Amino acid sequence: MERSRSDVLIMGGGVIGLSCALYLLKAGASVRVLEQDTPGSGSSHGNCGTITPSHAGPLTMPGMVGTALRSMLRKDAPLYVNPRPDPERARWLLGFARHCTWRDYQLAGEARGAILARSRSLIGELVASDELDCEFEDVGELYVYRDERTLQRDRPHVELLHRLGMEVRVLLGDDVLALEPALREGVVGGLLHPGDARLRPDRYVAELARRVRELGGAIETGARVDSFVTDGARITHVRTTGGVFSGERVVMALGAWSPLVSKLLDIRLPMQPGKGYSLTWTQPPVNAPTHSLVLREAAVCVTPWTSGYRLGSTMEFSGFAEGLNDVRLQALRRGAAAYLHEPEGQGEVTPWWGWRPMSVDELPIIGPSARWSNLVYATAHGMLGISMSAATGELVASLLAGPAPTLDAAPYTPARFAL
């Protein structure tokens, strides 16, 4: 049977869908969220929990294609492209390669920087105003280098942040070790990003879900989208495993599942799932680092919380292949061990994997569909779903319920792909 109708029906109960729901509720709309599992059970759960305006620079930069091709020979490479034939992934990689120019790097960096900076401000405000208990800390993030060549190759990253007006401090090796005694000798330099922050992502998503319900929003769990009922260019009903639902507007916030569900609407989103991994301990090590760390050569992110400790990252393009890959989990352990005196936490350890929604141009897809009159996209946030979540929610709420958006929506429009 059809459930009660909402002003806005949001497909996806991860950090993006819940952020959209929260800002829409605050704008006065009635909202229902459809989640195939439980809120935040996808990539919103096991990511590193860093809020990083510093990650404005996209993966699309000259030289990345060669790195990706060489990675096919190493299953433990930080960036791994599975050589198994896959026509859709091959098309995506060709499109990605076309964006690996300095011009596109700068344009994408500016657009990513804008949404990241806005979201960083909003998340801090939201945690305070809505009393979100999620271990939010303004501690900054530190990139750590053990190879001078890698540090020099990151000069475009530093130059981009300077152009965007973001603070980044270039440190000598001894300064890095003085700042973080948890690091082993052999550090040649570092980049400190004081404007970054961190939180516990599973708790943040749980708190967003709590606030959505408190403000009158409905969250339907166990509601996997199976099909759509349409009338002309309009979506009238969404059929799920948990019932049939309808809304004046429908928001697609399905993360990595967006391209699969979009095919039911005869839409091909230029996205691929980028598989990430993490290891989480119930307690941090005795001498845990103070800052969140990015161990650059190993491409490992280290996030210490009061309630736990996480090693994460890696990027694997293997389509929608499920399950843990122990080779890549061991790479996280080895990478951390090369940099830290105590690379692992204490207590029980939980391995995790999840798919990141990677767009072909490294920009999110946010805005109204040209194909369906009442469909709005809020997807393709790549590795930055947490970081971009609040600004995405604010932007979607502005587009659907007003007032005019604070953030310029043009760089993220689906129209760039004629969607």
Side-chain angles (χ1 to χ4, degrees):
M1 294 178 61
E2 179 180 349
R3 303 289 181 87
S4 58
R5 189 176 185 86
S6 306
D7 292 334
V8 184
L9 193 62
I10 298 175
M11 299 183 294
V15 70
I16 298 297
L18 291 171
S19 296
C20 291
L22 183 57
Y23 280 94
L24 281 162
L25 286 163
K26 291 187 174 188
S30 62
V31 176
R32 188 176 300 273
V33 178
L34 307 180
E35 167 55 41
Q36 66 176 345
D37 196 340
T38 56
S41 55
S43 285
S44 298
H45 179 80
N47 66 77
C48 289
T50 50
I51 305 165
T52 50
S54 66
H55 286 32
L59 288 176
T60 48
M61 63 184 302
M64 188 56 68
V65 174
T67 300
L69 292 174
R70 289 189 295 273
S71 80
M72 291 183 178
L73 305 176
R74 285 185 52 207
K75 291 186 177 181
D76 63 346
L79 170 63
Y80 174 64
V81 179
N82 192 314
R84 177 178 55 83
D86 182 331
E88 288 196 10
R89 186 171 72 239
R91 282 193 294 271
W92 184 89
L93 287 170
L94 285 172
F96 180 90
R98 284 194 287 270
H99 288 285
C100 289
T101 67
W102 285 122
R103 177 182 178 276
D104 281 7
Y105 177 84
Q106 298 298 333
L107 291 174
E110 291 171 7
R112 285 159 60 95
I115 191 170
L116 285 166
R118 179 61 182 166
S119 200
R120 169 66 182 86
S121 174
L122 288 173
I123 289 173
E125 294 172 6
L126 196 61
V127 168
S129 65
D130 288 47
E131 299 181 344
L132 306 184
D133 181 11
C134 58
E135 297 189 52
F136 175 83
E137 292 182 284
D138 283 306
V139 291
E141 184 171 67
L142 178 64
Y143 286 18
V144 183
Y145 298 82
R146 295 180 66 85
D147 187 326
E148 183 66 33
R149 292 170 299 179
T150 308
L151 180 57
Q152 293 305 315
R153 282 198 295 268
D154 275 2
R155 287 180 64 184
H157 163 83
V158 175
E159 293 167 358
L160 174 64
L161 295 187
H162 282 158
R163 278 196 297 275
L164 296 176
M166 296 183 187
E167 185 179 5
V168 52
R169 301 174 193 166
V170 182
L171 305 177
L172 298 175
D174 288 344
D175 296 328
V176 175
L177 292 173
L179 189 65
E180 280 294 356
L183 291 164
R184 297 166 63 94
E185 295 292 333
V187 174
V188 300
L191 299 176
L192 179 62
H193 305 91
D196 289 2
R198 69 173 176 238
L199 48 70
R200 180 105 192 196
D202 50 343
R203 294 188 178 182
Y204 179 59
V205 175
E207 287 290 271
L208 290 178
R210 173 182 65 81
R211 288 297 291 141
V212 166
R213 291 186 174 109
E214 287 176 352
L215 293 175
I219 301 176
E220 305 288 345
T221 59
R224 185 189 69 242
V225 176
D226 283 341
S227 63
F228 296 89
V229 179
T230 61
D231 182 8
R234 185 175 182 80
I235 299 169
T236 60
H237 297 82
V238 179
R239 291 190 176 124
T240 79
T241 51
V244 181
F245 304 90
S246 62
E248 285 298 313
R249 307 297 288 270
V250 179
V251 175
M252 182 177 290
L254 290 165
W257 287 269
S258 298
L260 299 179
V261 174
S262 70
K263 289 180 180 178
L264 301 174
L265 293 167
D266 197 28
I267 295 169
R268 291 192 175 274
L269 290 174
M271 294 170 58
Q272 275 286 302
K275 198 174 186 182
Y277 296 85
S278 68
L279 292 163
T280 305
W281 284 263
T282 53
Q283 300 173 50
V286 174
N287 296 310
T290 302
H291 299 81
S292 298
L293 305 177
V294 176
L295 312 177
R296 283 294 290 130
E297 290 81 12
V300 173
C301 179
V302 182
T303 312
W305 301 293
T306 302
S307 65
Y309 181 78
R310 181 166 292 167
L311 303 179
S313 196
T314 83
M315 178 65 75
E316 175 185 340
F317 289 104
S318 295
F320 286 94
E322 298 185 5
L324 291 165
N325 183 334
D326 191 60
V327 170
R328 301 190 68 73
L329 292 174
Q330 292 307 316
L332 291 176
R333 292 179 185 267
R334 286 196 307 274
Y339 290 76
L340 294 161
H341 291 295
E342 296 180 65
E344 301 186 9
Q346 304 179 89
E348 184 179 353
V349 60
T350 302
W352 174 91
W353 67 272
W355 291 317
R356 307 181 185 103
M358 307 296 293
S359 70
V360 74
D361 63 356
E362 275 276 90
L363 286 174
I365 302 172
I366 307 170
S369 167
R371 171 68 177 83
W372 300 98
S373 62
N374 63 332
L375 176 65
V376 174
Y377 300 100
T379 189
H381 293 80
M383 296 179 283
L384 299 171
I386 293 287
S387 291
M388 294 182 176
S389 59
T392 298
E394 180 192 53
L395 181 55
V396 168
S398 296
L399 292 172
L400 297 186
T406 300
L407 189 68
D408 180 10
Y412 323 107
T413 177
R416 70 188 193 273
F417 301 121
L419 297 174

